[in-house]
């Protein structure tokens, strides 16, 4: 009787914490990797909002996602992925809609700290759009799709899935270029 050979899966990675006897041993965090990842995400978020309408630096719209995609193509999974994507989205939306806080103060009559809280809730909601987009991008990349196709499909899906108080579609970044 012949047995079928199956491909062996690589052994799973050890979890960040492991038990040793009765004590739980927590693996040290690689702070260099964390700083590099958040630094690239910050740079990417700044380029994203500078590339949109109002700032006049439209070439950043074409390269602004590259550092974020580099970080997300690495190995962050689970909550690490979520927090990194949320940070990226929050900074990108805060930079693009910095004027919302002053608008709430001027036209809503709220004190600045409360207006900042209201605006932050809005920015966090809109940041979930980038979380969804980066998650869809990562899922497509894990299944072998090209980076360009994955990004375009994920971006379009996320833009259609989220209700926007202020329209901020990717196409707005090149509004002053009729040839494109």
């Amino acid at each position: 009787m012949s047995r079928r050979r199956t491909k062996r899966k690589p052994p799973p990675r050890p979890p960040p914490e492991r038990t040793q006897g009765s004590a739980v041993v927590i693996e040290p965090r690689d702070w260099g990797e964390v700083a590099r990842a958040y630094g690239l995400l910050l740079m990417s978020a700044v380029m994203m909002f500078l590339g949109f309408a109002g700032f006049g630096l439209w070439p950043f719209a074409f390269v602004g996602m590259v550092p974020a995609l580099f970080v997300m193509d690495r190995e962050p999974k689970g909550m690490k992925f979520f927090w990194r994507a949320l940070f990226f989205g929050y900074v990108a939306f805060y930079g693009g809609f910095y004027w919302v806080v002053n608008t709430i103060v001027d036209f809503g009559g709220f004190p600045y700290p409360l207006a900042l809280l209201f605006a932050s809730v809005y920015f966090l909601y809109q940041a979930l759009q980038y979380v969804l987009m980066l998650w869809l991008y990562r899922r497509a990349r894990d299944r072998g799709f090209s980076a360009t196709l994955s990004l375009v499909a994920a971006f379009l899906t996320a833009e259609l899935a989220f209700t926007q108080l202020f329209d901020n579609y990717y196409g707005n970044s090149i509004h002053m270029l009729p040839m494109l």
Side-chain angles (χ1 to χ4, degrees):
M1 190 162 126
S2 148
R3 284 197 225 182
R4 294 176 69 184
R5 287 194 151 171
T6 59
K7 213 177 197 185
R8 284 188 171 184
K9 291 183 178 179
R13 289 188 183 160
E17 56 183 48
R18 62 181 194 274
T19 59
Q20 190 174 29
S22 63
V24 174
V25 178
I26 297 175
E27 295 288 327
R29 209 172 229 181
D30 182 6
W31 289 107
E33 188 273 333
V34 171
R36 181 190 56 80
Y38 278 96
L40 287 171
L41 290 170
L42 178 66
M43 180 176 70
S44 186
V46 170
M47 285 195 296
M48 284 302 289
F49 74 73
L50 289 177
F52 275 76
F55 293 98
L57 300 171
W58 61 266
F60 281 140
F62 293 108
V63 296
M65 285 297 297
V66 172
L69 297 179
F70 176 76
V71 170
M72 295 306 175
D73 264 344
R74 309 288 283 178
E75 286 299 316
K77 295 202 190 272
M79 290 309 289
K80 185 190 287 188
F81 179 90
F82 174 79
W83 289 116
R84 289 180 180 186
L86 190 69
F87 170 78
F88 166 72
Y90 182 83
V91 173
F93 277 103
Y94 191 97
F97 294 104
Y98 64 91
W99 49 266
V100 169
V101 178
N102 290 330
T103 302
I104 294 172
V105 169
D106 293 342
F107 296 104
F110 291 100
Y112 193 84
L114 196 55
L116 186 61
L117 175 69
F118 292 155
S120 290
V121 169
Y122 169 68
F123 299 144
L124 284 172
Y125 165 74
Q126 286 299 130
L128 291 174
Q129 177 180 339
Y130 277 124
V131 172
L132 174 64
M133 186 267 298
L134 289 168
W135 180 77
L136 290 171
Y137 168 81
R138 178 67 188 262
R139 298 274 299 185
R141 294 288 290 146
D142 287 346
R143 283 159 178 70
F145 289 96
S146 74
T148 305
L149 178 63
S150 301
L151 181 62
V152 170
F155 225 121
L156 290 174
T157 303
E159 283 184 346
L160 290 174
F162 273 77
T163 305
Q164 298 178 2
L165 183 59
F166 307 108
D167 289 343
N168 60 333
Y169 299 105
Y170 186 74
N172 296 358
S173 61
I174 53 175
H175 74 283
M176 74 287 271
L177 302 172
M179 297 303 284
L180 295 177

